[in-house]
Amino acid sequence: MTPVELERRRVQVSGVVQGVGFRPFVYTLATRNRLVGFVRNDGATVVAEVEGHREALERFATALVRDAPPTARVADVSITALAASGGHGFAILPSTAAGADTAVLIGADVAICQDCLRELRDPRNRRYRHPFITCAQCGPRFTIARAAPYDRATTTMAGFAMCEQCRREYDDPSDRRFHAETISCSACGPRLSMPLDDAIAVLQGGGILAVKGIGGYHLACDATSEAAVERLRARKERERKPLAVMTLDPDSVAICTPAEQELLASAAAPIVLLDARPGAPIARSVTSAGPSLGLMTPYTPLHHLLLDGAERPLVMTSGNRREEPIAIDDDDARRRLGSIADAFLGHDRPIHRRCEDSVVRAGFPIRRSRGYAPSWLTLPHPARRPLVAVGASMKATFCVAHDERAWLSPHLGDLDTEPAARAFAADLALHLAMLAVEPELIACDLHPDYASTRWAHEQDAEIVTVQHHHAHAAACLAEHGLGGPALALVFDGTGYGPDGTLWGGELLRCDLTGFERLAHLEPVQLPGGESAIREPWRVAASYLERAGRPVPFERWGEVRQSLRVNAPRSSGMGRLFDAVAALLGVCERVSYEGQAAVELDWLAGTTHAEPYACSVEDGVIAGADLVRAAFDDLDAGRPRAEIAAAFHEGVAAVAVRVCELAEQPRLVVLSGGSFQNLRLLASVASQLRDRGFRVLTHCKVPANDGAISFGQAAVAAARDAA
Ligand code: ZN
Ligand code: ZN
Ligand code: FE
């Protein structure tokens, strides 16, 4: 061997490469290929210099991408040739700080891995029952990272000095905690604020325990105890919305497919909505009205210790009131949750960023949050200038975009409260800092009264307004990498139309830059405005008047005059579902958004029925036809499940018909919260496909308003490029 054969390369890897065990991976790869050199975090990237024989360098380069750690996401690898300089061994060098203008992509939080779980339960292991056990492959990332580069010193673990033993493991290339920045043990790691046994006793005694998790506080209680769950609902002012349950054995309480089991056990560990098993040992009041159960598996060591100790499934619901953002700060949690929780199981590792649990149903995302954020989505038209899209009002998210990448924030809850508005501004500032972006464009909804719109107008940047349902359609197009043109069926509650009325039952023809409205539900009055959304009987009354049928005021205990007061007009599909749900007595008042549509879907189930007829004239869909048919059938004593089914099929049939009338293009996107109704979605999609349309549904971002900011970003980028 002569020295001439040796070559040296500089390899720079960008993407989500910090906090994912990338440097140890490079170390192992280099030493296995007998390469000398070094690796280090360099600003936002990982940089290695490797020297050795050409074949070994090539093997190294191939494996670098192919075998990268599962939670890494390599965006780009650039390799430059250097002069060979010799040397011995391979080293992990200290990180080079990132400039303030460098974006650093932190990985998503990762559920505890099997190796750590084994150690947690092994009495001979020195981390036996250590509630903060992690390794290079698992544990919190996004929620604890303060700055770049990702090093212990820049995370909220900075305050915990490693003990000698932890330090040895951290420095040992053969150890699986080699350079694991979150490494700790019972001697040197964070501490719980109360003895674990006391916390378990609170749960076993039917009490409510506030538990500090990864991206915020949860409220926990015994999911098998009717009294405990009722108490939690009453204190949290959450009447009907199903509560999430954490269990070690999802299969024992719900029916899940292999794909759903895999999802439950994945590194993201989302809440998966499933059908409860009949007779499952879960308190009736967890689901309250329907068959659907939101399940997740324990994803932190602390969760495992709680479940092992409590020996029963636990309700684990967001630590908030109603739809406020989840509490992350200890003092804030005590203030806001003090009247709900009987005890607080906290700890002294701060949470730096809020990140609620993600929710998935039947493979469709309902909330894209912990485990998925902050991973980026790709825009079909790159954002020429950095931009922020601020979303809508409910299920709020924001989206930061630059070049072809769009970062959709975790779920923030509903924006109409003071704490929510503060959380929005604070979380956005953190994101902008992480991505080193100063927005030159801000995209917002047309609605002048959304807190997000007001915030946008207070900033010193160019404003791009995007109509709500155009944003829905754009989100669906963009997540599939398309720019249109397409037809878009957008069915949701309500969104502001350019004509000042509330839209929401729309057929658009659009691309990313613009749209035309081809058809829509005939608007009806929403008596009482906002209160019509909480009290669907009001919308039912309005629809019955339109349908020429008597309004059963006596049943709803109200007076006729109230229909005329403060009654904005709306073409929202969600409102039509509300009306029929109220008419059938499924729910006359709602306690969470979309409840009426969800419960109507449950009632219809898989019952077969021919669709109700619904006329379309000049692009106006007469929704009142469906309400009239339902009223008459109810009067004639037809079973309610059949009426619900005929209504669902009637909506699907008319949706398909307006697409046929539009003819072109042959691509249809389906978006809007009403398409979380799986019966409606399946029926519309299959009928359109039967007629030769290509149909796209949401699979990366939700159909609901959680994706509005992403859609706005796609539109703003496309318009800016035009
Ligand atoms: Zn681990
Ligand atoms: Zn230690
Ligand atoms: Fe919407």
Side-chain angles (χ1 to χ4, degrees), residues 111-117 133-139 176-177:
I112 182 172
C113 72
Q114 288 305 312
D115 289 335
C116 285
L117 187 56
I133 186 170
T134 62
C135 68
Q137 293 304 325
C138 78
R176 66 186 195 86
R177 293 194 175 82

Side-chain angles (χ1 to χ4, degrees), residues 163 166 185 188:
C163 69
C166 284
C185 67
C188 67

Side-chain angles (χ1 to χ4, degrees), residues 488-533:
L489 283 168
V490 186
F491 292 172
D492 74 349
T494 42
Y496 208 75
D499 57 2
T501 70
L502 299 169
W503 291 14
E506 312 301 317
L507 174 68
L508 310 178
R509 181 183 284 134
C510 65
D511 58 17
L512 290 181
T513 54
F515 71 93
E516 58 179 313
R517 191 188 199 195
L518 300 182
H520 60 88
L521 261 185
E522 183 178 17
V524 295
Q525 292 193 307
L526 301 183
E530 281 295 304
S531 47
I533 291 168

Side-chain angles (χ1 to χ4, degrees), residues 534-557:
R534 285 188 300 276
E535 301 176 338
W537 70 265
R538 291 169 180 271
V539 193
S542 197
Y543 261 113
L544 285 171
E545 283 208 328
R546 176 67 55 86
R549 291 296 183 270
V551 180
F553 283 105
E554 57 309 327
R555 187 170 128 202
W556 293 323

Side-chain angles (χ1 to χ4, degrees), residues 366-387:
I366 292 181
R367 188 196 284 167
R368 182 186 178 277
S369 204
R370 179 186 48 76
Y372 301 98
S375 186
W376 72 84
L377 298 150
T378 306
L379 289 174
H381 287 282
R384 202 165 54 84
R385 295 184 278 171
L387 67 90

